Amino acid sequence: MTGCAGAGAGFPNGCDILRVIVPIFREGGYDKNLTCDFGETGIQSRDVIGCQAPRLLSRPGKKEFEFRSGIKVPLPEEILRCAPHVSSKGGSHGRASRTQCRASLNSNFEGVRLANDVDRVGKFVDKSLSNAVPSVGVKNVRKTISAIGGGMFTSTRPDVRRIVPEARPGIPVVKVVYVVLEAQYQSSLSAAVRSINKIRQDVRFEIVGYLVEELRDPENYESFKKDLEDANVFIGSLIFVEELATKVKAALEPQRDRMDAVLVFPSMPEVMRLNKLGTFSMSQLGQSKSAIAQFMRRKRKESGGNFEESMLKLIRTLPKVLKYLPSDKAQDARNFIMSLQFWLGGSPDNLENFLVMIANSYVPALKNTTLEFNDPVVFLDTGIWHPMAPTMYDDIKEYLNWYGTRRDASPELKKADAPVVGLILQRSHIVTGDDGHYASVVMEMEARGAKVVPIFAGGLDFSTPVERFFYDPITKKPLVQSVVSLTGFALVGGPATQDHPKAIQALQKLNVPYMVALPLVFQTTEEWLDSTLGLHPIQVALQVALPELDGGLEPIVFSGRDSRTGKSHALHDRVEQLCTRAINWANLKRKDKAEKRLAITVFSFPPDKGNVGTAAYLNVFSSIYSVLKELKADGYNVEGLPESSEALIEEVIHDKEAKFSSPDLNIAYKMPVREYERLTPYAKALEENWGKAPGTLNSDGQNMLVYGKQFGNVFIGVQPTFGYEGDPMRLLFAKSASPHHGFAAYYTFLEKIFKADAVLHFGTHGSLEFMPGKQVGMSDICYPDSLIGNIPNIYYYAANNPSEATVAKRRSYANTISYLTPPAENAGLYKGLKQLSELISSYQSLKDTGRGQQIVSSIISTAKQCNLDKDVELPDEGAELSSDARDLVVGKVYGKLMEIESRLLPCGLHVIGEPPSAEEAVATLVNIAAIDRPEENIFGLPGILAESVGRQIEDVYRSSDKGNFNDVNLLNDITQASRAAVKAFVDRCTNSQGQVVKVAEVFTNILGLGRKDPWVEALQKTKFADADRDKMKTLFGFLDFCLKQVIADNELGGLKQALEGNYVEPGPGGDPIRNPKVLPTGKNIHALDPQAIPTAAALNSAKVVVERLLERQKVENGGKYPETIALVLWGTDNIKTYGESLAQVLWMVGVRPVPDALGRVNKVEPVPLEELGRPRVDVVVNCSGVFRDLFINQMNLLDRAVKMVAELDEPLEMNFVRKHAQEQAAQLGVSVRDAATRIFSNASGSYSSNVNLAVENSSWNDEQQLQDMYLSRKSFAFNSDRPGAGMYENRKIFESALATADATFQNLDSSEISLTDVSHYFDSDPTKLVQNLRKDGKRPNSYIADTTTANAQVRSLSETVRLDARTKMLNPKWYEGMLSSGYEGVREIEKRLTNTMGWSATSGQVDNWVYEEANSTFIDDEVMQKRLLETNPNSFRKLVATFLEANGRGYWETSEENLDRLRQLYSDVEDRIEGIDK
């Protein structure tokens, strides 16, 4: 290929392709602004408007370009020499061409297609591609990513958008300053100004532009203010980031009256109010009585969802009407509407005429002259655009007719059964000529054999063109098999407001997978590549989180932005992946079920044979068996499916033939090293952490081993673990290691050897999505992206864990299908606790007789035997007590028993496709009924019942908490009456088989036949018979809806929808008690708009918890307020509670969130000390890695809040933030603002402190090692002054701040997850660490806020651990429920003991009796011991080992007899396991 033309130094002779192509186009009369796209596969060029593109005929044998005009231009020899390797991207040989030409490209160019900058008159800007755009396609190079832009998200400067004309005497110069959200207008405006300055003799323009994000930089902001000082005209558009809108307003407002014209197109109201064109103003915008506001409300009501379309029509017609009105005001209004028309038109011609019109009408030096300009050229508001088409189309038939007659189309594209992909484009990119990235996607799709229908809309409602253009005009059935939005925005609505229900309705009707890819908006390509965060947080909020609410999948960055021209360019490897994945989703719709190959992936964590099939709340193998039976019945090939789930377990986890060195798991495939390296492009990059393949993990020393079992076209595989769990030194590393070779080999096997059409990750959760890489918006060097490759990813995720599900969705491109947690039950009472309850019942009836004192003594004695003396202060058994004192003692014990008895716990494990029965739903409904929902005018049942006896429920709660016997009794009566009323309602809806009949019909009959409501009947014989019936009818109407949701089942249906290439309805994740809309499961889980939290309701709840926490700490701290509280923020908690714990932090430091005009929370203000009524408490905030990924904007908000408080001029004794910041500033030699850094997390792309991994795998030497892990992994700070820097290590301030902590604090927000259910809680606990850091060595108090019920509590950590042990691990109802699930149930029991030991390690807050009782329950009982051993011997071995470890580490003191029994048992189990596995 010597002499082949190439881009920059891309081809051997270094000849630049543009120097060859541009003269051809000049000769062809093609003199518009070119956007050329030259990848290794061929050459495509088209007019920026896309309406008169040349027909490219560079297929083999062709020697000329043919233009629409009919002109044919011979191709130069340089091009022809490359012809055998050049494809028009439609040819059948396209893929082979890519492979052949790749060898001729250097690594600087591979993976990038740049929309090269050729200005409007064809002048080439001499800058080679290799310098202009960084490579993103080199798989074997993993870059060290660093902070960029001096800590800003972008380091671009406005000077690249500055044009200053040559001075010419007598010709007025008009200065224009513009601020825009996106850069697509930059090129068009620059071209317009250059044209004016070159051609016109009556006016010249100076112009400078700013991207709104650049205004964060102080230097840029000062430059902006200076530019405004002598500007004639200001133009703004899409300024929707409040903090930046405030800066624009602050700079612009003082200059507004002086300026000749101010034009602000859709933006925040405070900026739009600055509009000024002569007499036209928007200063009244937002006032409810304004004519505009009334008109808009009326139009929205009249036109429903098509309001935006109506407004576009209005913009087109209104100038014609206003033109005939005589007043200057009407003329000015006409000019504003016309300006918007010009702006939306976006082309250089339109913008040129726009600038001339404004200058002529409003610049004094030009008012008495007449400047010639044309009316706006109007483009279609909605339509179909194709880079090779002669025009835009507004009729799908016409487009299909053109498509079918294309001469450049390959035979594959002309096949009737070719896949069809719908593309959604942003009209502004097309009309401004910034469409090179769109063209690349179109061409790549077609090169891969897919037809495309690229639609666009000028408004913000893309559902209209979806309805018009994505359906076959004849059959009216969907024309497309998958849809990719390239806009990044929600389907209906832009950055300001959205209509998700309308979007979902349109997408459900279309019923195809819906992907939302991302153009870089706020960053250049280089900045994105260098960023550890990945996407700018504002773009994550607007273009990732919001589309997810529509059901959008796969936020793949497909285009970058040139820092100099502002133009978008396709990122080649990203476009390839996007197109391949979109086609693969489409193929799921096209392929026969019997031919589809499905890879089911299960997890084994911690790595142990007894843990294969790990997933939160899920009976994995029973669920897989249920799924496979359903798929088999539905036509999928599941040949050889065993007869039971137990047999399925045996086939997967046991290697029957024992051919290889692993006796534990069945080996499905041995992958030789050469094959692995050939099929895994990034294998070389793993050697830095793991050495040469095959390594020691998932390896026999010669091959990589893939564990699993194949049944027909279904493979069940075991995902390898992280690999470093057992290595204490690796656990100390601040940043997580890459996946090991065995992990990479597993996913290589799935995609390239098994050739899976889809992978189903089974349950919450695996390791793939937590591998190192950017937080959101991954490049090809991010490991989750590399590992998942091009396989459609379907992921069963627990409905109550939306935060980690969202990480899986964003980092592993998963379609997350929700599953239920097990049905909740009240914990009940057992053994001594039950006996204690009976004694209290006796006391209630006999307390005023002579037996009262004796019964109280028995109560005290039994309570001590149950270890309740740790929770309730008890007198000596024989102490003489007054009647009131006896009531108080019994009341406190009674209250503690009620707390234990009524605590909700999930019983057993869920099986996919098995919804709870009506009886199982009662406890859940009782708790749903307990919550006030004022926004829906629903009152909680306990409150209704309390009011019926003249009490307020909050008063009853508070009095009961203090042990008031009468109120404890009243609260118990309310609880029992609530249960009876709900059960009566459910019973009325249940048939004799215990199945729920059609709830709505029963409910209607109840209300309509004169029969008493069942809840009324249930309350008749209680003291609550007069409860408000209207309020109860509203409440039970809501419970009617909830019951239908609870018993509905779509988990199998949701999976089948995804496997069939259909749209899966999106739904929120979270706690079904707080938000029943989480149900039914089987939905595509999403989180929420991160800018919507904390809500006002969350702030109110937070205030209650914070004040109770501070009061309790005062009591236990000698009457002093805590000076510092170290606390944790979790992603899931904040989603479930809409930001309660986030609001707690704000309230501790004494600030309140301030929503903007659109309801988004991006600003805070200090609460005056007089109003706060206490000192501002300092905080050290440890954000989980998931919180960091989902809520980086809120971390910004928190950091700004703390630093704002540190800089308040207040007495130090009333502002502990300022007090400590000043001390730390002096100590560390930094500014007070830097010393006030308090928001910490992991390094970007890393998760957890690894303390949990060390504890779970017993891979730690001592507590100091655990504390070192915590400090090294969790000391990465967020700095709102340098937000683009991401997380940076700041261990000195982290340690210094922790050393001031008087208390540690965490939240429990859901009954399903408590302290010992998961390892995350102790993994983030710094209690003992703080003690070691404090100068006085004092252990801080540790608290847990429990908001799982309407009666929010703040307990000590030790109280909460005891409550957890009593209600779960030691509770027969819980462990028998687990054992009913078999193999997985034993693992769950072992996990609770291991997590309990984790709390001993980090906090020392576990009582000895907890271990003693657990030993008595699971070891001393020989029948129980045998059950555990036979059901899951590996997990039982770990259970025994954990008891021994707890003793060895000094957390459990017990008899030598117990220890001897455990040692012998461990030895016996080892022998038994070896015997089983041999």
Side-chain angles (χ1 to χ4, degrees):
M1 291 179 59
T2 305
C4 176
F11 287 86
N13 68 350
C15 169
D16 199 302
I17 194 90
L18 284 178
R19 299 198 183 281
V20 179
I21 293 296
V22 169
I24 300 174
F25 276 61
R26 304 300 305 137
E27 189 174 340
Y30 193 78
D31 58 359
K32 292 180 181 278
N33 182 11
L34 304 180
T35 303
C36 306
D37 193 350
F38 306 124
E40 63 266 40
T41 59
I43 307 156
Q44 304 87 37
S45 298
R46 65 211 134 12
D47 173 15
V48 290
I49 304 299
C51 300
Q52 297 175 343
R55 190 181 298 275
L56 177 61
L57 299 174
S58 60
R59 302 166 79 88
K62 298 291 183 182
K63 299 186 177 182
E64 58 195 12
F65 274 103
E66 180 183 340
F67 289 83
R68 297 287 176 205
S69 60
I71 297 174
K72 295 181 180 180
V73 180
L75 284 168
E77 189 62 29
E78 299 99 308
I79 296 292
L80 295 177
R81 279 199 293 271
C82 200
H85 306 286
V86 175
S87 160
S88 68
K89 301 277 280 195
S92 60
H93 61 292
R95 189 68 196 169
S97 302
R98 250 187 302 280
T99 305
Q100 294 165 11
C101 278
R102 188 181 295 276
S104 69
L105 296 162
N106 66 15
S107 62
N108 286 329
F109 183 74
E110 182 183 353
V112 178
R113 291 188 184 131
L114 173 65
N116 298 284
D117 180 50
V118 184
D119 72 18
R120 194 167 183 273
V121 293
K123 181 183 175 185
F124 171 63
V125 180
D126 192 9
K127 189 173 183 181
S128 72
L129 285 173
S130 58
N131 291 329
V133 182
S135 166
V136 297
V138 186
K139 291 276 185 179
N140 62 351
V141 178
R142 302 271 156 174
K143 296 172 64 175
T144 301
I145 293 172
S146 58
I148 46 92
M152 297 297 114
F153 290 108
T154 181
S155 58
T156 57
R157 297 288 182 218
D159 288 336
V160 299
R161 283 168 238 108
R162 189 182 299 276
I163 297 174
V164 180
E166 295 177 12
R168 289 192 186 176
I171 301 179
V173 175
V174 179
K175 183 174 180 180
V176 177
V177 178
Y178 67 91
V179 174
V180 290
L181 177 74
E182 300 181 77
Q184 66 261 41
Y185 276 86
Q186 174 183 338
S187 179
S188 231
L189 275 167
S190 296
V193 169
R194 288 194 187 105
S195 174
I196 292 170
N197 291 347
K198 180 179 180 181
I199 297 169
R200 300 190 74 109
Q201 301 302 315
D202 44 13
V203 65
R204 297 172 72 75
F205 279 84
E206 176 184 346
I207 192 167
V208 61
Y210 293 78
L211 302 183
V212 68
E213 181 60 34
E214 292 170 350
L215 298 181
R216 291 184 192 275
D217 184 279
E219 186 180 330
N220 283 347
Y221 187 58
E222 288 304 314
S223 172
F224 173 59
K225 290 195 291 187
K226 189 168 182 60
D227 274 324
L228 287 177
E229 288 175 2
D230 61 348
N232 300 91
V233 178
F234 173 80
I235 303 167
S237 178
L238 297 182
I239 304 170
F240 279 113
V241 181
E242 189 193 21
E243 59 185 301
L244 299 176
T246 301
K247 297 186 86 165
V248 171
K249 180 188 175 186
L252 181 58
E253 200 165 34
Q255 304 294 334
R256 177 182 180 268
D257 291 342
R258 180 199 58 75
M259 295 176 77
D260 301 325
V262 175
L263 294 115
V264 183
F265 302 124
S267 294
M268 293 291 289
E270 59 264 39
V271 189
M272 288 198 71
R273 290 190 192 105
L274 299 177
N275 265 297
K276 184 189 82 165
L277 273 190
T279 58
F280 176 81
S281 167
M282 286 192 178
S283 59
Q284 302 302 308
L285 184 70
Q287 293 189 7
S288 60
K289 293 183 180 179
S290 72
I292 292 177
Q294 291 179 20
F295 167 79
M296 291 176 74
R297 280 195 295 271
R298 186 172 67 252
K299 279 293 179 187
R300 187 175 294 278
K301 188 174 181 180
E302 289 171 2
S303 54
N306 290 320
F307 171 70
E308 286 81 5
E309 194 171 316
S310 301
M311 285 301 293
L312 285 169
K313 290 177 182 174
L314 181 71
I315 290 169
R316 285 200 302 273
T317 57
L318 195 57
K320 298 173 186 175
V321 176
L322 292 172
K323 184 165 61 174
Y324 298 105
L325 297 179
S327 73
D328 291 340
K329 197 165 189 176
Q331 183 62 35
D332 292 331
R334 175 183 180 274
N335 285 346
F336 181 81
I337 297 294
M338 204 163 172
S339 297
L340 185 54
Q341 257 189 326
F342 277 125
W343 186 258
L344 294 175
S347 65
D349 286 345
N350 271 335
L351 296 181
E352 182 175 330
N353 287 307
F354 162 51
L355 293 175
V356 172
M357 180 196 79
I358 293 299
N360 195 189
S361 302
Y362 299 103
V363 175
L366 294 165
K367 270 196 170 184
N368 296 324
T369 62
T370 301
L371 304 183
E372 294 296 327
F373 62 89
N374 298 320
D375 284 344
V377 176
V378 178
F379 296 89
L380 291 175
D381 291 329
T382 62
I384 309 171
W385 172 89
H386 190 289
M388 301 300 288
T391 187
M392 297 175 177
Y393 296 93
D394 63 357
D395 185 292
I396 184 63
K397 287 183 186 176
E398 291 182 15
Y399 176 76
L400 293 176
N401 288 339
W402 168 78
Y403 207 90
T405 58
R406 285 174 60 186
R407 285 189 289 159
D408 64 322
S410 67
E412 281 78 7
L413 283 185
K414 294 184 177 179
K415 288 181 179 177
D417 65 345
V420 184
V421 178
L423 301 177
I424 300 175
L425 316 178
Q426 206 171 332
R427 178 177 175 272
S428 61
H429 278 280
I430 298 170
V431 298
T432 59
D434 187 23
D435 56 14
H437 53 321
Y438 291 166
S440 287
V441 174
V442 170
M443 296 303 183
E444 187 68 33
M445 288 284 188
E446 293 183 342
R448 292 173 183 275
K451 298 176 181 177
V452 291
V453 182
I455 66 172
F456 64 86
L460 301 175
D461 184 352
F462 294 97
S463 66
T464 301
V466 163
E467 182 78 29
R468 288 183 59 198
F469 304 128
F470 282 167
Y471 289 85
D472 188 295
I474 299 170
T475 66
K476 306 302 180 187
K477 292 180 179 178
L479 179 66
V480 298
Q481 283 102 36
S482 66
V483 170
V484 183
S485 171
L486 302 180
T487 70
F489 288 116
L491 189 73
V492 182
T497 58
Q498 301 79 38
D499 187 344
H500 299 295
K502 183 179 181 184
I504 291 168
Q505 184 180 18
L507 292 167
Q508 279 181 314
K509 180 182 175 184
L510 190 63
N511 199 26
V512 299
Y514 173 57
M515 299 166 63
V516 181
L518 303 168
L520 291 178
V521 173
F522 298 102
Q523 302 145 285
T524 65
T525 305
E526 296 92 332
E527 288 162 349
W528 165 69
L529 284 169
D530 288 342
S531 170
T532 57
L533 295 176
L535 279 183
H536 186 297
I538 297 294
Q539 187 167 7
V540 173
L542 295 179
Q543 297 196 330
V544 179
L546 294 178
E548 285 171 351
L549 305 186
D550 294 341
L553 304 172
E554 309 208 3
I556 296 172
V557 176
F558 76 99
S559 71
R561 177 168 65 80
D562 184 79
S563 59
R564 186 178 49 79
T565 66
K567 282 213 162 196
S568 301
H569 49 242
L571 303 173
H572 174 49
D573 81 286
R574 305 286 79 205
V575 168
E576 276 195 348
Q577 185 182 41
L578 173 66
C579 295
T580 306
R581 293 187 64 82
I583 292 168
N584 286 347
W585 276 111
N587 286 339
L588 287 176
K589 206 167 190 70
R590 302 167 63 242
K591 205 167 187 178
D592 290 340
K593 292 175 184 176
E595 295 177 6
K596 290 179 187 174
R597 298 175 72 80
L598 174 64
I600 295 177
T601 296
V602 300
F603 314 119
S604 176
F605 195 82
D608 182 90
K609 182 179 173 183
N611 290 327
V612 174
T614 310
Y617 316 105
L618 192 64
N619 188 326
V620 171
F621 282 104
S622 293
S623 294
I624 291 175
Y625 191 71
S626 173
V627 165
L628 292 183
K629 281 198 304 181
E630 179 74 16
L631 292 182
K632 187 174 183 179
D634 204 31
Y636 290 80
N637 178 358
V638 196
E639 183 182 344
L641 180 66
E643 293 299 314
S644 68
S645 60
E646 290 75 19
L648 182 67
I649 294 173
E650 288 297 312
E651 298 228 12
V652 173
I653 72 170
H654 292 309
D655 178 5
K656 303 287 187 187
E657 301 177 14
K659 288 180 179 177
F660 308 110
S661 62
S662 170
D664 290 331
L665 298 171
N666 189 64
I667 297 172
Y669 188 76
K670 293 193 300 179
M671 186 180 294
V673 172
R674 283 190 178 181
E675 181 180 50
Y676 163 70
E677 291 178 341
R678 175 171 57 84
L679 296 178
T680 312
Y682 53 95
K684 193 82 175 169
L686 309 186
E687 293 179 6
E688 180 183 353
N689 284 297
W690 301 101
K692 295 276 188 183
T696 58
L697 299 165
N698 291 70
S699 161
D700 62 4
Q702 294 181 317
N703 308 284
M704 263 70 71
L705 303 180
V706 177
Y707 296 122
K709 183 77 175 178
Q710 188 168 340
F711 302 96
N713 283 342
V714 176
F715 172 71
I716 302 174
V718 181
Q719 184 191 74
T721 59
F722 280 111
Y724 50 77
E725 298 88 349
D727 185 340
M729 293 311 295
R730 284 185 185 270
L731 292 176
L732 280 166
F733 293 167
K735 298 182 180 181
S736 299
S738 68
H740 57 80
H741 293 295
F743 200 104
Y746 177 79
Y747 282 94
T748 295
F749 168 80
L750 295 188
E751 181 175 9
K752 297 177 180 176
I753 295 171
F754 177 69
K755 298 188 184 301
D757 292 300
V759 60
L760 170 60
H761 287 94
F762 217 98
T764 307
H765 56 73
S767 308
L768 168 66
E769 60 268 34
F770 296 103
M771 287 295 176
K774 297 181 189 302
Q775 289 176 199
V776 187
M778 272 172 281
S779 71
D780 67 328
I781 64 168
C782 298
Y783 288 109
D785 181 279
S786 300
L787 289 160
I788 196 62
N790 293 316
I791 317 174
N793 184 11
I794 303 164
Y795 208 140
Y796 267 134
Y797 234 92
N800 69 343
N801 194 346
S803 62
E804 289 179 314
T806 301
V807 172
K809 185 187 296 286
R810 295 176 185 178
R811 301 187 90 240
S812 67
Y813 309 138
N815 189 342
T816 48
I817 312 293
S818 63
Y819 64 83
L820 269 174
T821 51
E825 294 184 33
N826 296 110
L829 300 172
Y830 55 92
K831 298 181 182 175
L833 297 173
K834 193 169 185 180
Q835 181 186 349
L836 195 53
S837 174
E838 292 164 357
L839 284 170
I840 290 173
S841 294
S842 298
Y843 178 77
Q844 285 177 302
S845 56
L846 300 172
K847 70 173 187 166
D848 295 326
T849 69
R851 295 188 57 195
Q853 180 69 46
Q854 180 187 347
I855 294 171
V856 169
S857 291
S858 297
I859 288 172
I860 293 169
S861 173
T862 307
K864 287 181 177 178
Q865 290 171 19
C866 294
N867 297 292
L868 287 180
D869 55 324
K870 308 291 192 302
D871 301 286
V872 177
E873 191 175 333
L874 296 174
D876 295 335
E877 291 170 34
E880 286 293 326
L881 300 172
S882 66
S883 175
D884 287 347
R886 291 200 299 268
D887 277 359
L888 185 61
V889 169
V890 175
K892 287 183 176 179
V893 174
Y894 190 6
K896 183 57 65 175
L897 280 184
M898 280 181 59
E899 181 180 71
I900 295 167
E901 188 277 336
S902 62
R903 193 165 179 82
L904 280 187
L905 62 149
C907 282
L909 295 170
H910 178 63
V911 175
I912 296 291
E914 292 185 11
S917 66
E919 185 178 349
E920 290 171 329
V922 169
T924 298
L925 289 174
V926 168
N927 279 269
I928 289 173
I931 299 174
D932 286 332
R933 304 173 197 271
E935 68 281 0
E936 299 175 66
N937 200 32
I938 295 170
F939 296 90
L941 189 53
I944 296 172
L945 300 183
E947 284 178 1
S948 72
V949 293
R951 298 291 301 278
Q952 293 296 311
I953 191 65
E954 278 299 318
D955 294 338
V956 177
Y957 287 150
R958 298 287 71 75
S959 180
S960 174
D961 290 344
K962 293 174 182 175
N964 182 296
F965 182 77
N966 291 329
D967 280 346
V968 173
N969 208 31
L970 174 59
L971 184 56
N972 185 52
D973 291 343
I974 289 172
T975 301
Q976 298 306 324
S978 296
R979 292 176 184 173
V982 172
K983 189 173 189 308
F985 163 66
V986 173
D987 287 346
R988 187 73 63 85
C989 300
T990 309
N991 63 21
S992 57
Q993 285 78 43
Q995 299 167 321
V996 174
V997 295
K998 291 184 178 179
V999 180
E1001 292 177 13
V1002 173
F1003 193 80
T1004 304
N1005 291 340
I1006 289 169
L1007 299 180
L1009 297 178
R1011 189 176 176 185
K1012 274 190 178 177
D1013 298 330
W1015 52 89
V1016 173
E1017 287 183 350
L1019 297 174
Q1020 279 306 124
K1021 296 179 182 178
T1022 72
K1023 65 179 74 171
F1024 311 112
D1026 294 332
D1028 189 312
R1029 297 194 179 189
D1030 289 336
K1031 287 182 178 179
M1032 286 199 296
K1033 189 167 288 188
T1034 302
L1035 171 64
F1036 279 90
F1038 177 66
L1039 293 183
D1040 161 41
F1041 161 77
C1042 294
L1043 180 57
K1044 285 187 287 185
Q1045 301 297 93
V1046 169
I1047 63 166
D1049 173 30
N1050 192 41
E1051 292 171 354
L1052 287 169
L1055 171 64
K1056 286 161 66 176
Q1057 287 282 93
L1059 285 175
E1060 290 163 23
N1062 294 333
Y1063 174 77
V1064 179
E1065 179 186 356
D1071 180 3
I1073 290 172
R1074 288 176 184 265
N1075 182 13
K1077 292 177 183 176
V1078 166
L1079 305 172
T1081 45
K1083 295 177 182 175
N1084 174 7
I1085 309 175
H1086 61 68
L1088 43 68
D1089 177 359
Q1091 296 182 105
I1093 65 169
T1095 61
L1099 180 60
N1100 290 334
S1101 298
K1103 288 179 181 178
V1104 172
V1105 169
V1106 169
E1107 296 310 325
R1108 288 179 188 172
L1109 169 65
L1110 297 181
E1111 282 304 314
R1112 174 147 188 181
Q1113 171 67 359
K1114 272 180 70 179
V1115 169
E1116 297 176 6
N1117 195 36
K1120 296 178 183 177
Y1121 280 106
E1123 292 200 4
T1124 304
I1125 297 176
L1127 69 155
V1128 184
L1129 290 182
W1130 299 103
T1132 286
D1133 293 12
N1134 279 283
I1135 293 171
K1136 290 178 182 176
T1137 64
Y1138 296 93
E1140 278 184 20
S1141 54
L1142 172 65
Q1144 288 167 4
V1145 179
L1146 296 175
W1147 196 246
M1148 285 176 190
V1149 300
V1151 303
R1152 62 167 64 92
V1154 182
D1156 65 19
L1158 301 174
R1160 302 173 308 191
V1161 181
N1162 290 309
K1163 189 165 67 174
V1164 291
E1165 65 182 15
V1167 178
L1169 286 173
E1170 299 76 25
E1171 180 183 339
L1172 195 61
R1174 59 165 173 82
R1176 303 186 193 277
V1177 177
D1178 200 356
V1179 292
V1180 186
V1181 184
N1182 166 16
C1183 300
S1184 74
V1186 175
F1187 183 94
R1188 174 207 62 209
D1189 286 0
L1190 269 56
F1191 297 113
I1192 195 80
N1193 288 301
Q1194 276 60 36
M1195 291 176 72
N1196 193 333
L1197 192 74
L1198 288 172
D1199 188 63
R1200 282 162 40 208
V1202 174
K1203 286 173 176 171
M1204 174 194 298
V1205 168
E1207 293 176 336
L1208 292 175
D1209 185 10
E1210 293 175 339
L1212 298 184
E1213 68 273 12
M1214 294 301 291
N1215 187 333
F1216 298 137
V1217 181
R1218 182 170 177 78
K1219 174 186 174 183
H1220 296 152
Q1222 288 186 351
E1223 292 170 353
Q1224 289 153 7
Q1227 174 190 347
L1228 300 172
V1230 297
S1231 68
V1232 168
R1233 190 168 177 83
D1234 283 343
T1237 297
R1238 297 290 185 269
I1239 314 303
F1240 296 89
S1241 185
N1242 295 83
S1244 295
S1246 296
Y1247 302 83
S1248 94
S1249 70
N1250 283 352
V1251 169
N1252 57 345
L1253 300 183
V1255 169
E1256 288 164 345
N1257 293 278
S1258 302
S1259 52
W1260 54 293
N1261 299 324
D1262 53 33
E1263 290 176 359
Q1264 184 61 51
Q1265 195 174 51
L1266 296 182
Q1267 291 168 22
D1268 287 343
M1269 289 176 195
Y1270 185 97
L1271 287 171
S1272 68
R1273 304 254 318 161
K1274 285 291 185 179
S1275 59
F1276 288 79
F1278 183 85
N1279 187 345
S1280 57
D1281 296 332
R1282 302 177 66 246
M1287 309 305 299
Y1288 70 100
E1289 193 167 21
N1290 200 341
R1291 182 161 171 171
K1292 286 184 179 179
I1293 287 186
F1294 187 47
E1295 291 187 16
S1296 177
L1298 281 174
T1300 67
D1302 300 302
T1304 63
F1305 176 64
Q1306 294 200 52
N1307 282 276
L1308 290 177
D1309 66 281
S1310 171
S1311 60
E1312 296 139 326
I1313 306 176
S1314 194
L1315 290 187
T1316 59
D1317 291 327
V1318 292
S1319 61
H1320 303 63
Y1321 288 116
F1322 76 77
D1323 179 73
S1324 290
D1325 173 55
T1327 302
K1328 284 186 178 178
L1329 169 61
V1330 169
Q1331 181 181 8
N1332 285 348
L1333 291 173
R1334 284 181 64 101
K1335 292 178 181 176
D1336 58 9
K1338 178 184 173 184
R1339 179 176 296 181
N1341 292 325
S1342 297
Y1343 299 104
I1344 305 292
D1346 182 346
T1347 58
T1348 60
T1349 67
N1351 182 15
Q1353 299 284 327
V1354 174
R1355 302 187 184 94
S1356 70
L1357 172 57
S1358 57
E1359 285 172 342
T1360 310
V1361 170
R1362 288 192 291 270
L1363 180 61
D1364 229 30
R1366 290 181 177 119
T1367 55
K1368 290 189 176 171
M1369 185 168 65
L1370 304 178
N1371 185 353
K1373 181 183 279 191
W1374 181 83
Y1375 61 69
E1376 289 296 341
M1378 285 300 169
L1379 287 174
S1380 69
S1381 299
Y1383 166 87
E1384 283 101 337
V1386 181
R1387 182 181 62 236
E1388 291 296 321
I1389 293 168
E1390 176 271 312
K1391 186 169 79 174
R1392 294 315 184 287
L1393 183 68
T1394 299
N1395 291 343
T1396 300
M1397 190 182 72
W1399 281 110
S1400 292
T1402 63
S1403 72
Q1405 299 291 300
V1406 183
D1407 297 320
N1408 198 71
W1409 69 263
V1410 172
Y1411 292 106
E1412 200 69 26
E1413 289 291 321
N1415 181 71
S1416 175
T1417 301
F1418 301 113
I1419 304 299
D1420 288 354
D1421 184 334
E1422 291 191 2
V1423 175
M1424 173 63 73
Q1425 189 187 111
K1426 185 178 179 183
R1427 288 172 69 191
L1428 297 172
L1429 174 62
E1430 292 183 350
T1431 308
N1432 188 334
N1434 290 275
S1435 286
F1436 181 62
R1437 174 177 59 184
K1438 178 70 165 71
L1439 184 78
V1440 173
T1442 302
F1443 276 117
L1444 289 169
E1445 185 179 356
N1447 171 261
R1449 294 190 185 279
Y1451 303 142
W1452 174 39
E1453 292 181 10
T1454 191
S1455 68
E1456 199 58 40
E1457 179 186 351
N1458 279 341
L1459 294 174
D1460 287 342
R1461 183 190 298 112
L1462 285 164
R1463 293 183 191 110
Q1464 184 59 48
L1465 190 55
Y1466 186 85
S1467 177
D1468 292 346
V1469 175
E1470 282 271 75
D1471 292 344
R1472 174 80 180 270
I1473 288 172
E1474 288 179 14
I1476 289 172
D1477 287 343
K1478 282 178 181 175

